[in-house]
Amino acid sequence: MDSGPCEPETAHTTRSEGTAMSTVGLIGAGKIGTTVARLAVAAGHDVVLSNSRGPETLADLVAELGPRARAATPAEAADAGDVVVVTVPLKAYRDVPVEPLAGKVVIDTNNYYPERDGVIAELEDGSATTSGLLQAHLPGSKVVKVFNSIYYRHLADLPRPSGAPDRSTLPIAGDDADAKARVAALLDDLGYDAHDAGTLAESWRFENGAPAYCVIYSAPGTEVDELGVPGAQPADAEAVTAALAKAHR
């Protein structure tokens, strides 16, 4: 399962001393999920990976990640995670298990691509956001939007230690302040600062097509990959703030 082409391969050890260990559950093990798993393991966290095809299909990835990683079913990954990353195609969000995620912080990486997900009326008319849909599906969880707005290769390339002058910032959105603080702490471990972009209702500001979506982390004039995406460039809080302000619905 995967959440789209602007998704989040080489992890950087960036974990700051004194940060509590945790288990990160992943529902979906596509490009974003795999990259987040690599960063989390490098930062000293355990990961429990899952996908729609079964744990046995993740054996090579688990072997690569080492003893901090294991594969499971989506329900088992949801149950095991202190924080759980949902990184599936938007069209599959209703397949995400509900009960094991009750009371948990859930990171949502979803993007809406009508050509893949089908036309979703409430996203077309602006009455909902992608993360709002997931929150409605998971009423007992605390959903926080992040990782959707950076290309997976850039996500792998840009982590830096806390305080580094070229550290990048990622926008996050959510309705629960404590959940956002928990996600910001995890991002700090993974090598990123967090910028609070508001509630889930405001998360459209860094969804697919918005100025804060992928472009600010792409370096103009660098060699492009097979998808035509250039290399990575850092983007700080000022760049993220300016891009969010330019968003129009």
Side-chain angles (χ1 to χ4, degrees):
M1 294 189 289
D2 218 317
S3 60
C6 180
E7 312 163 301
E9 290 164 332
T10 315
H12 302 252
T13 302
T14 55
R15 188 173 179 279
S16 55
E17 290 185 12
T19 306
M21 299 283 190
S22 67
T23 296
V24 179
L26 293 110
I27 299 176
K31 292 174 180 177
I32 294 178
T34 298
T35 303
V36 171
R38 288 187 175 117
L39 294 177
V41 166
H45 298 278
D46 294 330
V47 297
V48 181
L49 296 133
S50 68
N51 63 14
S52 61
R53 296 177 294 134
E56 65 281 357
T57 66
L58 297 169
D60 289 345
L61 177 59
V62 168
E64 174 201 328
L65 292 172
R68 288 196 175 276
R70 66 182 176 91
T73 67
E76 290 167 341
D79 186 63
D82 299 306
V83 174
V84 179
V85 182
V86 171
T87 179
V88 301
L90 182 61
K91 63 182 178 181
Y93 80 89
R94 292 184 183 88
D95 296 332
V96 174
V98 177
E99 290 186 7
L101 292 172
K104 295 195 175 189
V105 175
V106 175
I107 290 175
D108 174 39
T109 78
N110 283 333
N111 284 308
Y112 173 45
Y113 302 105
E115 66 276 14
R116 179 197 65 188
D117 302 314
V119 174
I120 300 175
E122 54 264 58
L123 297 181
E124 293 289 333
D125 66 19
S127 61
T129 63
T130 56
S131 292
L133 294 178
L134 183 63
Q135 180 66 83
H137 175 67
L138 302 173
S141 305
K142 301 170 183 178
V143 173
V144 178
K145 182 82 163 181
V146 70
F147 295 131
N148 71 296
S149 62
I150 183 169
Y151 187 50
Y152 77 101
R153 286 180 172 163
H154 298 167
L155 181 64
D157 289 343
L158 289 174
R160 301 291 188 272
S162 182
D166 60 345
R167 202 181 210 212
S168 290
T169 297
L170 297 176
I172 69 173
D175 296 338
D176 185 277
D178 289 340
K180 286 193 281 190
R182 183 94 181 258
V183 171
L186 178 61
L187 288 181
D188 184 44
D189 275 1
L190 303 190
Y192 288 90
D193 291 333
H195 175 79
D196 190 342
T199 65
L200 294 180
E202 298 171 281
S203 62
W204 61 269
R205 293 185 178 276
F206 55 101
E207 288 183 338
N208 180 18
Y213 176 82
C214 294
V215 177
I216 58 175
Y217 306 103
S218 297
T222 57
E223 184 177 355
V224 301
D225 67 8
E226 68 275 8
L227 295 180
V229 180
Q233 69 176 3
D236 60 13
E238 184 177 353
V240 171
T241 301
L244 292 169
K246 293 176 183 177
H248 296 284
R249 206 164 194 180

